Amino acid sequence: MKKMAQINVNENRLEIDSIVAELRALRLHSLESRARLNKPPKLPSRKVLITIIDGLSAAMFPNRLGLPDLTDEGIDSYVGHTLDATLRELQKQIRRELYFISDDGADSEEILLRAAAITRAFAVTIPALRRLIDCDIQAAYEGDPAAGSIDEVLVCYPGVTAMIHQRIAHALYGLGVRLIARMITEIAHSATGIDIHPGAEIGESFFIDHGTGVVIGETSVIGRHVRLYQAVTLGAKRFMKDADGTLTKGYPRHPIVEDDVVIYAGATILGRVTIGRGSTIGGNVWLTESVAPGSIVTQSRAHCEILTKKEPPVYSE
């Protein structure tokens, strides 16, 4: 009986050592193919970036997203301490990204100075970010009859959470730390189901109602007072390739949405098209062409009806 038990134990033993060896070989091959074999740099930390976003959010909204027992006398001290600690940690993560994207022979002192300069440039944008986010919160409160208060919108609405992340990420994206910016928006994507690229340009008073499944591509341009509902996609229609068949990057390929546009649930808008000011895009519409200002686009009719000047044109899908 003892011999049989020993055989069973050996048969069920996991071959950890051989798995580790295979993983090491794959890892080294990957590093070698990317010319990183001798000095693989560390990436920015997703966990640390989560704490940085929490710190920035608390500094901008200390009474709602900061400590629960703050007094009027202690708020400024708390904000100052939180900003100092958060920005110092952000600078470390920026330094990691700069090392990651640099050549092996990069000057360490130069990277330190660049990280400090980027952090300072970002820091001065924080009041403007707070003003933009205030506009988004107000738009959500005014645009949703179910919203009981401004505070409820701030602490409960996934669209606001996504926009806090995107506003911060967009500022960093513009300062050249694009990996950190992308990681920040993907943190929001994981938490809310709303996928907004940090490169997207979004005007003030932007409201995403419900939000789950919304996708906004890198080169999207969105005006002021725009409202989207769940499962809206602002995407690319096609992807350009170079002579070698590699996807071309960075060119404008996503929609332009002008001011005062409403896009209802499930609508898909693809390509570098323009949705004119004051237009309404109905639910589940598939749109790959520009529409004039003041248009109403629906899929409920099989024809295109141009109404009188007093009423907006209606496009059918």
Side-chain angles (χ1 to χ4, degrees):
M1 292 295 292
K2 290 183 179 180
K3 185 177 181 179
M4 180 63 70
Q6 183 65 43
I7 290 173
N8 288 339
V9 168
N10 291 336
E11 287 178 349
N12 291 319
R13 189 179 67 180
L14 298 173
E15 299 295 334
I16 298 297
D17 291 344
S18 63
I19 295 171
V20 169
E22 287 186 60
L23 289 174
R24 181 177 65 252
L26 290 168
R27 183 174 65 252
L28 293 177
H29 175 73
S30 176
L31 289 170
E32 185 176 16
S33 68
R34 291 179 287 140
R36 296 289 194 179
L37 183 59
N38 296 324
K39 194 177 180 181
K42 297 294 185 182
L43 287 169
S45 166
R46 179 185 174 95
K47 289 183 179 180
V48 173
L49 289 175
I50 290 172
T51 65
I52 287 171
I53 295 300
D54 287 345
L56 293 172
S57 300
M60 288 189 286
F61 300 95
N63 284 313
R64 296 295 175 261
L65 303 180
L67 295 178
D69 55 353
L70 285 175
T71 63
D72 290 341
E73 296 77 15
I75 287 181
D76 285 346
S77 176
Y78 168 77
V79 169
H81 174 77
T82 301
L83 276 177
D84 182 67
T86 301
L87 291 171
R88 287 178 186 276
E89 194 56 60
L90 176 61
Q91 184 171 325
K92 293 178 184 177
Q93 299 307 308
I94 291 173
R95 193 162 65 239
R96 280 192 170 196
E97 176 167 343
L98 295 178
Y99 273 117
F100 177 74
I101 64 177
S102 68
D103 298 328
D104 287 342
D107 187 289
S108 297
E109 185 64 26
E110 181 182 347
I111 286 179
L112 289 174
L113 292 174
R114 285 181 60 198
I118 291 170
T119 304
R120 286 194 299 271
F122 171 75
V124 299
T125 70
I126 293 174
L129 293 176
R130 162 72 201 240
R131 284 191 287 269
L132 273 174
I133 295 165
D134 278 341
C135 291
D136 298 332
I137 293 169
Q138 187 66 34
Y141 176 69
E142 293 176 357
D144 185 3
S149 67
I150 292 290
D151 293 327
E152 178 186 335
V153 169
L154 173 59
V155 301
C156 295
Y157 278 42
V160 170
T161 298
M163 285 309 300
I164 290 174
H165 285 68
Q166 202 278 341
R167 299 289 191 195
I168 292 170
H170 183 72
L172 292 167
Y173 188 87
L175 292 169
V177 281
R178 297 190 169 192
L179 177 58
I180 285 175
R182 189 63 188 271
M183 292 173 73
I184 288 171
T185 54
E186 287 304 320
I187 289 167
H189 184 193
S190 298
T192 67
I194 299 170
D195 182 3
I196 311 177
H197 195 282
E201 299 179 20
I202 302 175
E204 66 180 46
S205 301
F206 181 59
F207 175 34
I208 304 174
D209 200 357
H210 305 296
T212 304
V214 165
V215 177
I216 301 175
E218 176 188 15
T219 62
S220 299
V221 179
I222 299 174
R224 301 166 66 250
H225 302 288
V226 170
R227 183 164 78 247
L228 308 185
Y229 287 83
Q230 66 272 21
V232 166
T233 296
L234 303 180
K237 184 178 180 181
R238 60 178 62 90
F239 302 100
M240 296 171 57
K241 297 182 179 180
D242 61 20
D244 297 328
T246 303
L247 288 179
T248 303
K249 299 180 184 295
Y251 65 94
R253 60 195 182 277
H254 299 101
I256 298 171
V257 180
E258 296 184 343
D259 297 349
D260 303 308
V261 169
V262 179
I263 305 176
Y264 283 96
T268 298
I269 304 172
L270 302 179
R272 194 61 164 184
V273 300
T274 297
I275 308 303
R277 179 173 182 167
S279 294
T280 298
I281 309 301
N284 298 314
V285 163
W286 177 277
L287 190 59
T288 58
E289 297 179 358
S290 296
V291 299
S295 299
I296 299 174
V297 182
T298 71
Q299 63 168 195
S300 61
R301 302 179 183 180
H303 64 281
C304 177
E305 179 182 356
I306 306 299
L307 301 180
T308 63
K309 189 175 181 180
K310 292 182 179 180
E311 297 181 359
V314 177
Y315 293 80
S316 61
E317 282 293 293

